[in-house]
Amino acid sequence: MRLRHGIIFLALLLPLVTFAEGAPEQGKYIFDHLGFEDGLQGSHIYSVMESADGAMWFSSKNSVFRYNGQVIAEFPLTVTNNLFSSGSGRTTALFSGEAGNICAFDNKGNIFRYNPATDSFVETFSLSSGWQGDAIILGDVLYDESGQYWLGMNSGLYSMQKNGTVTCAYEGIYVNQISQIDGRLVLCTNTGIRIYNPSDGSCGSLLEGTPVQSAWYDAASGLLWAGTFNNGVKLLNPSSGAITAELESDSHAPVRDIEPVNDTTVIFGIDGKGIFTATRDGRPLERMYRGRNTDGGTLNSNSVYDICVDRWGNLWIGNYTGGVDVIFPASGLVEFIRPSDNTPESLPDAKVNDVLQSKDGHLWFATDNGVSECGSGRRWRHILPGEVVLTLTEDADGNILAGTYGTGVYRIRREKNLSATPLYNMASGTLATDYVYSLLRDSEGNLWIGCLN
């Protein structure tokens, strides 16, 4: 992944870069923005997600956008025989589907799935087809491990099978968001929180009568964070219902999202107020991010709808009127990785010809003295000593392919110990030359090999 700012490329690349323990502090972070000038054709951003390959996805009124660090691609969410005007009130959101696939839905009851083969979103379900009852307002979709869809709607909670069969699980509630606690569903509704148990259909109640927009369960502390419509954030014991702390109770604005930043800090976005921070045990922190129209503001808008903390700890903020704001940690953005004498926990050679980030986030370095892997916990492993390696790529099975200057292409298997075997070379008749300068695996899985002459 190559970002448009080189310094930000390093911030996303280095696994050691994370938010410092404690609250985000404005002087320690770099702020960036994605908007019309970057190809984001729509300032109303309702949700933000990161996919397994590290791309960022944003949903607007009628489209989903993908940002790969360089360019933004737009994917219209087209509904058969239906056009949505700007005044239709349509909103869209993203969710994780089967095998972690990016999916989307709109509040009109249409569900879409991203198809990587066609690089497009296809409509998979339309709830309005044959629907009996009041007009549909779809508030949230959750796909669970059993392969079942849970639909939070204005008339209740519904389950949907892969064949499209919809069954009412719990009626009479207006569901805004669905999350999970140990196999149970946390339903944020206009009349409080419901804890629904799919195994027996039982349903408990918390914050009865309070409109709740968002929730996050802290498994470490056992506390449930509830973002209300007009009464701030409540920390609850989900078993007893006791409120252990309250934050920004006088804000009178919807708390759209709650996300953990690290082991000590939680952030939450309030529509119209910006971003606030608190400790994991519910103590408010003074620092917050606000729109630029306020004193000391750094965001493009206070209308925060969604927050995504990516795998490196960077914050991606979807705003209703301000596109996407990005907050990168400024401390530790640049690190020099050099060979170190008498230790294998570093590069074996100062000449680095290529760098690869594998799907699991590990870093791979092609050097004039073989290939080095830097994994979780800064653990180093080395293979192909003495080989001048010029290029790297990852195959469909997670193996690393290494192109060398003089001995062709090797396959590096990632087991308990790294192992390398020749894959393509002149001796086997698979290459016309053993001097390999570039490797590329395309979207269809084909391998392209760039060689000398």
Side-chain angles (χ1 to χ4, degrees):
M1 187 192 316
R2 292 179 175 85
L3 298 186
R4 54 189 181 144
H5 304 305
I7 192 169
I8 295 176
F9 165 69
L10 287 175
L12 289 178
L13 183 66
L14 297 177
L16 66 150
V17 176
T18 56
F19 272 79
E21 294 297 307
E25 188 173 333
Q26 181 171 320
K28 294 183 179 179
Y29 297 90
I30 290 177
F31 295 80
D32 198 9
H33 178 255
L34 298 175
F36 283 106
E37 67 279 6
D38 305 294
L40 194 62
Q41 302 300 314
S43 60
H44 300 336
I45 302 299
Y46 298 108
S47 67
V48 183
M49 273 190 68
E50 180 186 17
S51 54
D53 60 2
M56 300 304 301
W57 300 75
F58 321 116
S59 72
S60 65
K61 180 182 290 292
N62 292 313
S63 296
V64 171
F65 299 88
R66 179 184 63 208
Y67 180 51
N68 67 359
Q70 269 187 323
V71 296
I72 293 177
E74 181 177 4
F75 303 92
L77 297 179
T78 304
V79 178
T80 306
N81 299 323
N82 202 345
L83 297 176
F84 295 101
S85 69
S86 58
S88 68
R90 188 192 195 197
T91 62
T92 65
L94 301 166
F95 70 97
S96 180
E98 185 176 3
N101 291 336
I102 296 292
C103 298
F105 69 91
D106 65 22
N107 60 335
K108 307 296 184 179
N110 304 296
I111 300 175
F112 308 83
R113 175 181 56 83
Y114 174 70
N115 184 347
T118 60
D119 196 27
S120 64
F121 277 83
V122 294
E123 183 183 4
T124 54
F125 302 106
S126 180
L127 300 180
S128 59
S129 178
W131 181 260
Q132 302 293 325
D134 296 336
I136 291 174
I137 301 177
L138 179 59
D140 201 8
V141 179
L142 184 144
Y143 182 83
D144 68 16
E145 295 179 353
S146 69
Q148 186 165 250
Y149 294 87
W150 294 96
L151 313 176
M153 301 175 65
N154 57 321
S155 55
L157 173 71
Y158 295 79
S159 64
M160 183 174 70
Q161 306 302 319
K162 290 182 179 181
N163 62 5
T165 302
V166 177
T167 304
C168 182
Y170 193 87
E171 61 182 350
I173 53 176
Y174 192 119
V175 181
N176 299 307
Q177 187 198 74
I178 309 174
S179 57
Q180 290 183 299
I181 297 179
D182 300 328
R184 296 170 294 164
L185 302 181
V186 179
L187 312 177
C188 299
T189 81
N190 282 357
T191 53
I193 290 179
R194 303 292 188 271
I195 308 294
Y196 177 79
N197 191 335
S199 63
D200 59 13
S202 61
C203 194
S205 178
L206 301 171
L207 292 179
E208 184 64 38
T210 300
V212 180
Q213 292 284 300
S214 57
W216 170 68
Y217 177 65
D218 186 353
S221 67
L223 294 177
L224 179 65
W225 292 61
T228 70
F229 182 77
N230 56 8
N231 199 21
V233 175
K234 315 291 184 187
L235 271 70
L236 305 166
N237 181 320
S239 299
S240 67
I243 297 175
T244 63
E246 298 184 80
L247 302 166
E248 300 299 322
S249 57
D250 59 349
S251 65
H252 304 298
V255 180
R256 298 291 186 187
D257 195 20
I258 305 170
E259 297 287 342
V261 176
N262 51 43
D263 291 340
T264 64
T265 308
V266 174
I267 59 174
F268 51 96
I270 300 181
D271 190 359
K273 299 288 186 178
I275 294 179
F276 294 74
T277 62
T279 61
R280 291 280 282 262
D281 58 0
R283 290 180 290 110
L285 299 171
E286 295 180 359
R287 304 177 184 91
M288 66 178 181
Y289 299 121
R290 296 168 293 174
R292 288 174 178 167
N293 60 339
T294 55
D295 292 339
T298 50
L299 303 179
N300 275 264
S301 170
N302 279 325
S303 301
V304 176
Y305 258 64
D306 197 22
I307 303 168
C308 176
V309 182
D310 70 17
R311 66 189 69 185
W312 308 122
N314 306 305
L315 301 183
W316 300 76
I317 301 153
N319 296 301
Y320 182 70
T321 58
V324 176
D325 285 302
V326 193
I327 303 176
F328 300 99
S331 59
L333 275 179
V334 178
E335 180 192 3
F336 291 101
I337 302 177
R338 301 185 179 92
S340 179
D341 294 336
N342 303 319
T343 175
E345 299 299 315
S346 65
L347 287 171
D349 194 276
K351 182 68 180 298
V352 178
N353 303 307
D354 195 13
V355 180
L356 172 73
Q357 180 185 359
S358 52
K359 292 177 182 178
D360 58 2
H362 291 197
L363 296 180
W364 297 80
F365 300 91
T367 79
D368 277 7
N369 189 20
V371 176
S372 296
E373 174 197 22
C374 183
S376 57
R378 303 301 299 274
R379 178 173 174 261
W380 288 82
R381 296 196 294 177
H382 309 280
I383 195 70
L384 295 175
E387 293 284 353
V388 176
V389 182
L390 301 179
T391 179
L392 299 168
T393 193
E394 185 175 8
D395 69 15
D397 298 321
N399 301 309
I400 304 301
L401 306 185
T404 70
Y405 188 81
T407 55
V409 178
Y410 288 85
R411 176 191 285 125
I412 301 173
R413 297 188 182 276
R414 306 175 59 188
E415 300 164 344
K416 183 176 181 181
N417 296 310
L418 297 179
S419 63
T421 55
L423 184 62
Y424 303 114
N425 51 43
M426 290 182 65
S428 65
T430 52
L431 290 180
T433 174
D434 284 331
Y435 296 88
V436 178
Y437 283 81
S438 183
L439 296 172
L440 172 68
R441 190 170 68 90
D442 65 22
S443 59
E444 295 181 354
N446 301 310
L447 179 65
W448 298 80
I449 304 174
C451 301
L452 178 67
N453 298 326

